RNA sequence: GGAGAGGUGGCAGAGUGGUCGAAUGUACCUGACUCGAAAUCAGGCGUAGGUGCAAGCCUACCGUGGGUUCGAAUCCCACCCUCUCCGCCA
């Protein structure tokens, strides 16, 4: 959520910033809604003040035995207009909220302006792509050759875009997650967390997935509800029962659970509706969780292999920071994610996303792309973003500043790293001519000392 | 799943349908006393929004949403959450 104050004060400037990321802000609509809101709210509050005063007089005078009919009449007169105004105010405020809640964040001034992935800016490269004197296989070929990667069975059990690991590959997957968690907690100062995988709508709203991206999420009902059909079947004379069911439907729907698309959601929402004491900042959390994405609209992209899945594991880094420290924090967090790749000896590059390629809530995003020999290119393995106060404002996540006043925090997060894609990168970069895969040294302690994964 | 209890300010904890945004205690801040601290005393101390150059004034908020009423923290209904006990369960 953008700062309403900023929109009121300098609408044109905000619109211009948003235009760089391809978002057309309907300034006329904002002006109209905001103008309406102002008039209605002012008038409505004025009437409320009058009603309150009159009601107080009724109480006061009744005790004294005075006639109160004049006051009663006054309230009755104001009542109708007030009720009307309140209804209109609620409506306009809903519209204003709906309007604001789907506006993306404004990009930081350092973000390169562009539309496509091609406009992203390479920041640095690390490591050299390995040379092979044989024809390289992709991770699917390698994994199936080793007998540990089985898409057919995964498809039988669930469907497309799921994968199944067995034996040393399943262990490698676990080893990667453990290695990442250990590095971040022991070397980088993050607190390990275990968090819910099913979250409520408020949490999804807080980090920006809702209301705009519901189609990308999986959801489940918190409990059984009446269907609209069942409600309509209730006899007309049982109005009370009908109303009861309608309320139930509404509240239960509101209370449905969503499967997290990233640990960013539960972890960042730890500070929702909280006021964090200044001295506790920065908060640094790491979590290893599965992530669930419906990947609506991704049909045809990366259909082979485990690059794009409905379910994948990720180790996520989250920092909750003082607003003045957020860009410093982002560089630090990016370094923490890079450290994993360096220790695994996987070549990568860091790119700064252009305005058009950034996610909805981000003000600045770095992607880390790992080298994949079979694709002869770099592919995204981590995304590290500064959301500034965008998420904090939605979450009412604040800290108490030096003057003792609550102020919005800044939130950061980044993958450290996507476990599935890291597994892919290890398989492809460490493959041997005979189909075996060398285990990177950093992982060997987590693999019981295993140096090479061979077909069984 | 069954039975019961409860949700009020940072925390604890009062609250009769009528100046209750809410007593009191505690924490915190400021001042006095003190060489300093503790203790004591005095004052201050919620959040959000509107309006105003400002001091200020106004509105909303006592789990959430409805209802009754001129007026609701207080009465009624539904829902959510927490706790205790029983059952089931990894």
């Amino acid at each position: 959520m953008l700062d309403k104050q900023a929109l009121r004060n300098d609408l044109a400037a905000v619109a211009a910033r948003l235009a760089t990321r391809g978002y057309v802000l309907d300034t006329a609509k904002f002006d109209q809604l905001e103008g309406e809101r102002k008039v209605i709210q002012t008038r409505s509050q004025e009437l409320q003040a009058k009603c309150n005063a009159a009601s107080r007089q009724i109480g006061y005078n009744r005790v004294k035995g005075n006639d109160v009919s004049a006051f009663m009449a006054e309230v009755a007169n104001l009542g109708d207009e007030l009720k009307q105004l309140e209804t209109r105010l609620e409506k306009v405020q809903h519209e204003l909220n709906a309007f604001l809640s789907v506006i993306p964040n404004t990009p930081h001034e350092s973000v390169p302006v562009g539309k496509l992935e091609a406009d992203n800016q390479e920041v640095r490269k690390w490591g050299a792509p390995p040379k092979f004197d044989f024809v390289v296989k992709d991770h699917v070929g390698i994994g199936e050759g080793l007998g540990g990667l089985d898409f057919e069975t995964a498809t039988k059990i669930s469907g497309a875009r799921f994968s199944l690991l067995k034996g040393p590959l399943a262990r490698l997957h676990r080893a990667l997650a453990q290695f990442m968690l250990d590095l971040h907690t022991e070397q980088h100062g993050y607190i390990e967390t275990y968090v819910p995988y099913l979250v409520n709508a408020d949490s999804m709203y807080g980090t920006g997935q809702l209301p705009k991206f519901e189609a990308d999420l999986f959801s489940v009902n918190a409990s059984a509800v009446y269907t609209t059909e069942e409600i309509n079947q209730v006899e007309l004379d049982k109005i009370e029962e009908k109303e009861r069911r309608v309320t139930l439907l509404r509240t239960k729907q509101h209370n449905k659970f969503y499967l997290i698309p990233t640990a960013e959601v539960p972890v960042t929402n730890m500070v929702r509706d909280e006021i964090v004491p200044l001295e506790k900042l920065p908060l640094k959390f790491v979590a290893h969780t599965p992530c669930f994405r419906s990947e609506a609209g991704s049909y045809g992209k990366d259909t082979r292999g485990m690059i794009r899945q409905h379910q994948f594991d990720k180790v996520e880094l989250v920092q909750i920071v003082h607003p003045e420290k957020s860009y410093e924090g982002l560089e630090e967090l990016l370094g923490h994610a890079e450290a994993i790749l360096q220790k695994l000896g996987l070549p990568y590059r860091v790119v700064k996303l252009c305005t058009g390629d950034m996610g909805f809530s981000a003000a600045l995003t770095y992607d880390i792309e790992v080298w994949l020999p079979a694709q002869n290119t770099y592919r995204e393995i981590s995304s590290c973003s500064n959301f500034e106060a965008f998420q904090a404002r939605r979450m009412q996540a604040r800290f108490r500043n030096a003057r003792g006043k609550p102020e919005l925090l800044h939130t950061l997060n980044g993958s450290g790293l996507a476990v599935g894609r890291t597994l892919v990168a290890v398989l492809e970069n460490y493959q041997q001519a005979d189909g075996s895969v060398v285990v990177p040294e950093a992982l060997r302690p987590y693999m019981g000392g295993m140096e090479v994964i061979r077909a069984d």
Side-chain angles (χ1 to χ4, degrees), chain A residues 323-336:
Chain A
E324 283 164 17
K325 299 278 176 64
S326 63
Y327 281 95
E328 213 173 289
L330 180 63
E331 295 299 325
E332 181 197 281
L333 186 147
L334 176 64
H336 295 154

Side-chain angles (χ1 to χ4, degrees), chain A residues 279-450:
Chain A
E279 64 273 16
K280 292 240 170 115
L281 297 177
L283 295 170
K284 294 162 70 177
F285 298 115
V286 59
H288 165 220
T289 72
C291 304
F292 302 94
R293 299 190 182 176
S294 84
E295 296 286 353
S298 70
Y299 303 104
K301 257 193 239 168
D302 300 312
T303 46
R304 180 176 164 88
M306 51 189 300
I307 296 286
R308 195 176 297 273
Q309 302 273 283
H310 284 317
Q311 174 190 320
F312 63 95
D313 275 29
K314 185 154 61 73
V315 171
E316 184 77 0
L317 303 171
V318 172
Q319 291 197 18
I320 310 293
V321 303
H322 191 285
E324 283 164 17
K325 299 278 176 64
S326 63
Y327 281 95
E328 213 173 289
L330 180 63
E331 295 299 325
E332 181 197 281
L333 186 147
L334 176 64
H336 295 154
E338 285 178 69
I340 299 286
L341 289 167
Q342 291 174 9
K343 290 197 186 300
L344 292 175
L346 294 170
Y348 67 86
R349 61 172 196 158
V350 176
V351 298
K352 189 188 262 189
L353 296 193
C354 72
T355 48
D357 208 22
M358 278 198 305
F360 176 75
S361 305
L364 191 149
T365 299
Y366 291 110
D367 271 7
I368 305 177
E369 300 178 339
V370 71
W371 178 257
L372 291 188
Q375 297 190 11
N376 198 38
T377 187
Y378 290 97
R379 291 299 306 264
E380 179 187 346
I381 196 166
S382 171
S383 194
C384 303
S385 305
N386 185 354
F387 303 92
E388 298 187 354
F390 189 85
Q391 293 181 326
R393 191 170 292 112
R394 293 167 94 89
M395 291 190 299
Q396 281 305 298
R398 295 167 295 175
F399 69 101
R400 217 170 270 287
N401 67 21
R403 296 198 327 280
K405 287 291 157 199
E407 199 180 318
L408 292 172
L409 289 157
H410 278 194
T411 59
L412 316 172
N413 70 54
S415 352
L417 306 161
V419 179
R421 288 190 181 180
T422 310
L423 183 98
V424 168
V426 168
L427 293 183
E428 294 198 3
N429 282 280
Y430 282 89
Q431 63 179 303
Q432 308 293 301
D434 65 357
S436 65
V437 172
V438 171
V439 177
E441 261 179 59
L443 293 178
R444 289 179 194 171
Y446 296 90
M447 295 290 288
M450 191 187 293

Side-chain angles (χ1 to χ4, degrees), chain A residues 28 40-41 116 139 160 171 248 251 264 275 287 356 366 381 405 455:
Chain A
I40 298 171
Q41 184 167 353
L116 309 163
H139 69 282
R171 184 168 188 178
L248 213 58
T251 52
E264 160 193 354
I275 299 176
Y366 291 110
I381 196 166
K405 287 291 157 199

Side-chain angles (χ1 to χ4, degrees), chain A residues 213-257:
Chain A
F213 306 102
E214 177 147 29
D216 296 341
L217 302 169
F218 287 110
S219 64
V220 294
N221 284 323
S223 49
V225 299
Y226 292 101
T227 63
T228 26
E229 244 176 40
E230 282 170 319
I231 290 168
N232 288 332
Q233 277 167 9
V234 177
E235 310 269 329
L236 274 178
D237 54 318
K238 293 179 182 163
I239 290 172
E240 273 183 27
E241 171 63 9
K242 197 159 185 165
E243 278 174 359
R244 197 180 72 82
R245 291 192 178 191
V246 169
T247 341
L248 213 58
L249 176 66
R250 235 184 262 137
T251 52
K252 296 284 180 181
Q253 267 184 345
H254 177 72
N255 284 314
K256 76 177 170 184
F257 288 130

Side-chain angles (χ1 to χ4, degrees), chain A residues 64-127:
Chain A
K64 292 199 160 181
N66 296 338
D67 176 41
V68 296
S69 56
F71 295 115
M72 296 282 269
E74 188 184 345
V75 173
N77 271 335
L78 297 173
D80 277 350
E81 190 185 348
L82 186 56
K83 211 158 233 168
Q84 256 189 18
L85 283 172
E86 277 174 351
T87 312
R88 281 176 59 198
L89 182 62
E90 199 180 329
K91 186 167 164 266
V92 88
Q93 238 146 14
H94 264 113
E95 280 177 47
L96 203 51
N97 263 338
F99 179 81
L100 291 172
S101 64
V102 297
I103 300 175
N105 203 353
T106 44
H108 185 259
E109 54 188 14
S110 74
V111 175
V113 174
K115 284 183 180 165
L116 309 163
E117 212 180 313
D119 300 319
N120 295 341
Q121 196 178 82
E122 185 175 292
V123 176
R124 60 178 161 267
K125 269 185 179 151
W126 185 92

Side-chain angles (χ1 to χ4, degrees), chain A residues 259-278:
Chain A
L259 277 76
I260 56 169
T262 158
E264 160 193 354
V265 178
V267 177
T268 310
N269 272 280
M270 284 166 71
V271 292
R272 171 154 56 84
D273 295 322
E274 296 291 330
I275 299 176
V276 181
L278 183 61

